Amino acid sequence: DAVAQHHLGRCYLTGNGTAHDEKKAAKLFRKAAKQGLAEAQLAVGRCFQLGPGVVRDEEEKVKLYKQAAEQGTAQAQSNLAKCYLNGEGVEQDEAAAVRLYRRGGAPGHFGAQ
């Protein structure tokens, strides 16, 4: 199931309980993301942003952050806001960035406040 795939992906990414393997981690995150798991969509987006296990891809990163943000994931909303603010993978749009930062500014989510 998607949750198990996401958790196993995290194990591969960190090397917790298994060999460190970024490609396997990214593959598992993608499987879980395709099933609609917001945490996995966020994780794959980060992979496309930072490069572990995949080739960096700004547009794919934005697509996945949007999917997770639409499900209310505060970190994805914050990450997507940064994309709009800096024009990373999307046309720069400060108004969209502000809207997303406000939505992602949930209590305890310091990156968006």
Side-chain angles (χ1 to χ4, degrees):
D1 88 333
V3 173
Q5 290 167 336
H6 176 254
H7 286 298
L8 184 57
R10 301 235 3 111
C11 290
Y12 277 113
L13 185 63
T14 62
N16 185 12
T18 187
H20 176 82
D21 190 327
E22 293 174 346
K23 288 183 180 181
K24 281 186 181 179
K27 184 177 180 179
L28 287 162
F29 290 153
R30 281 179 152 179
K31 282 184 176 183
K34 286 180 181 179
Q35 296 172 64
L37 185 66
E39 292 86 356
Q41 292 163 340
L42 176 62
V44 179
R46 283 185 184 144
C47 289
F48 281 113
Q49 178 179 358
L50 303 172
V54 297
V55 175
R56 290 181 184 188
D57 185 326
E58 297 281 314
E59 291 177 6
E60 194 66 19
K61 166 187 76 172
V62 168
K63 180 180 115 182
L64 288 151
Y65 284 162
K66 281 182 181 179
Q67 291 173 356
E70 287 169 0
Q71 294 186 61
T73 304
Q75 184 64 55
Q77 292 167 345
S78 179
N79 291 1
L80 185 57
K82 288 178 191 176
C83 293
Y84 277 109
L85 186 63
N86 298 318
E88 298 172 4
V90 292
E91 188 172 325
Q92 188 173 16
D93 185 341
E94 290 182 15
V98 169
R99 282 192 304 274
L100 284 159
Y101 276 129
R102 286 183 179 153
R103 282 193 344 206
H109 185 68
F110 303 110
Q113 296 177 350

